[in-house]
Amino acid sequence: MILLHRFFSDLKLVSKVTLLVALLGTLAVTITIYSMSTMRSVERDYRSLLSQDAAATLLISDALLHLSDASRLVFSVLSEQEEQKMRATQQKLDVLQSKFRINIEAIRPLLKARSDSLNAIAAQERIMFHQAARIVDSAARWRGDSALKIIHDEFEPGLQTLRANIEQLRDATVNDYQKKSVGLSETTERTMLHTAVAFGMALALVLALSVYLSITQISSPISRLTRAMNRLTKRQYDEEISGTERKDEVGQMAKAMQLFRDTMQRAEILEKLVTMDSLTGIPNRRAFDKTVEQEWARSLRAGIPISFCMIDVDFFKPFNDHYGHGVGDECLRLVAGALRSCVRRPGDFVARYGGEEFAAVLSATDEAGALQFGQRLHAALAELNYPHAFSTVADHVTISIGIATSTPTAERSADMLLKAADEMLYAAKRAGRNTSRSTQLPSKAQSVHGDCRDKTVISKTGTVVE
């Protein structure tokens, strides 16, 4: 220490300043190199993460969309009336199978660690499309019973398993991305801390400007990007990614993050499209089945009643035949809008069940509440007053409603309640349409062998009649 003191004492002022500046400059250069090297490494990892996991997530979502289209084609072949159209369906299935395989093969280099899962998915895909071909062939040979058996015994279970495996792969990919992004965020924060401490200790006196530039040009943008990444992991896309106008490493990271955000938004939109009916804009059968399962389980846990409604547009085939499919589609859209306007509680759910048939799930709703809901539906259609000159019950479009209510038990399934609602729908049709029929499945304390009987009717005027 004494020798160092003497050394500095012997130096001229210019030499002291020069030496201190040189020493501090060396420290500054060393710290800067360390910080930039680490940030470049983080940026490279971000790029790799975005180019692999994000791209793989999008491809998986596309594969799910192709799978959904394939299942829709398989089910639609049963309603075809011409063998040529049935055979054409097989060609469409072959195209979808090819697209599905292209997606899976494109995912392989991106997710090398999950080759076993991809191999299993590929094997399941071959089996499922083979079963689809058998269904089409049986339908084309007018063996609908054989096609239905293949669907129920083989195709639907295999399809559910394949879809579950693909969704599991997608979830695993997203989880991997989140874990890696957290690690990169921690690395960034550590780098920021070390840089701040080093500059604070070594450069506080003569490099205030350098510290200022470091904070404003490096630390703050990285902090904003870190917060933006945390928002993206929570699927919050509203705020813009800052720093994309920059041409340095931080700007490249911001642009890569913006690309990831756009990719995630697109994947989320695709996921929503899978559960929405493209014609009416309301949830489709797949979303309905999922809601039924969730709400039934919730009602079972809570021990509260739940009601299902099956809704059918009266005389829609004559309407479609005389007005044309375009007007028929417009009618379905308006009916769907009218039904959706009747949903007033978060637990209520209306979906298109198929064709001109709709369905509703009313959680925490007893029979009286379900009847009131049905009355609102009838009133909404009456208010819509959409002309229907080929109806025998009214001069406008009307609906028939079947309602079934139950308090779930371990011995009872949601399918039983759906079947009861469907039976009530046919009872409403037999009663003259433009009306409702309801039933309440017996509680556990009552006879569980009793059948579902008509209990309540909502008349054509919307008045409740016992």
Side-chain angles (χ1 to χ4, degrees), residues 311-314 316-317 332 335 352 354-358 429:
I311 307 158
D312 191 75
V313 179
D314 295 329
F316 185 75
K317 187 179 186 305
L332 289 178
V335 170
R352 186 184 181 192
E356 70 274 17
E357 194 169 9
F358 299 83
K429 291 181 179 181

Side-chain angles (χ1 to χ4, degrees), residues 31-263:
I31 294 171
T32 301
I33 291 175
Y34 159 76
S35 178
M36 295 304 296
S37 174
T38 304
M39 292 313 302
R40 285 193 181 96
S41 176
V42 171
E43 184 233 349
R44 286 194 300 269
D45 291 341
Y46 267 123
R47 285 183 176 180
S48 175
L49 190 60
L50 292 171
S51 63
Q52 293 182 9
D53 288 8
T57 300
L58 182 60
L59 288 170
I60 292 171
S61 297
D62 287 339
L64 279 171
L65 189 59
H66 296 325
L67 190 63
S68 178
D69 289 340
S71 64
R72 178 180 56 80
L73 283 174
V74 171
F75 290 123
S76 68
V77 76
L78 297 177
S79 62
E80 294 291 350
Q81 301 298 320
E82 299 179 15
E83 180 181 356
Q84 184 178 2
K85 291 183 179 180
M86 295 179 187
R87 298 297 182 184
T89 299
Q90 182 59 53
Q91 297 176 0
K92 295 178 182 179
L93 285 172
D94 292 340
V95 172
L96 289 174
Q97 183 179 19
S98 177
K99 290 181 179 180
F100 185 93
R101 288 180 174 178
I102 290 173
N103 279 27
I104 296 301
E105 292 306 315
I107 294 171
R108 288 186 183 277
L110 301 177
L111 301 177
K112 296 179 180 179
R114 301 191 181 277
S115 59
D116 291 342
S117 298
L118 290 171
N119 290 337
I121 289 172
Q124 292 170 339
E125 167 265 322
R126 289 191 294 270
I127 295 173
M128 193 207 76
F129 278 97
H130 175 68
Q131 294 168 349
R134 290 171 56 201
I135 294 168
V136 172
D137 182 66
S138 296
R141 289 187 288 117
W142 306 107
R143 297 183 59 188
D145 54 341
S146 178
L148 285 173
K149 180 173 178 58
I150 297 173
I151 288 175
H152 293 153
D153 295 347
E154 302 176 36
F155 182 78
E156 284 187 338
L159 177 63
Q160 292 176 0
T161 301
L162 177 57
R163 183 179 285 118
N165 289 340
I166 296 176
E167 290 176 347
Q168 183 179 7
L169 179 63
R170 180 190 60 193
D171 294 341
T173 303
V174 172
N175 289 336
D176 288 345
Y177 172 82
Q178 291 176 342
K179 290 179 181 178
K180 293 176 183 177
S181 64
V182 169
L184 291 174
S185 297
E186 292 175 351
T187 301
T188 300
E189 292 173 356
R190 286 196 300 269
T191 302
M192 292 166 50
L193 178 61
H194 295 163
T195 301
V197 171
F199 272 103
M201 294 177 61
L203 308 176
L205 296 176
V206 294
L207 297 179
L209 180 60
S210 298
V211 173
Y212 169 77
L213 293 176
S214 175
I215 293 175
T216 58
Q217 297 299 313
I218 298 177
S219 299
S220 294
I222 292 177
S223 296
R224 288 194 293 270
L225 290 178
T226 301
R227 290 193 295 270
M229 179 58 68
N230 290 333
R231 291 194 301 271
L232 290 181
T233 58
K234 299 176 183 178
R235 297 194 175 189
Q236 299 174 358
Y237 309 116
D238 296 334
E239 296 187 28
E240 292 293 328
I241 305 298
S242 61
T244 55
E245 73 284 354
R246 297 175 57 157
K247 298 181 179 180
D248 58 1
E249 292 79 4
V250 173
Q252 293 173 355
M253 291 173 59
K255 292 174 184 177
M257 194 176 298
Q258 187 179 51
L259 174 62
F260 172 72
R261 183 196 64 180
D262 295 341
T263 302

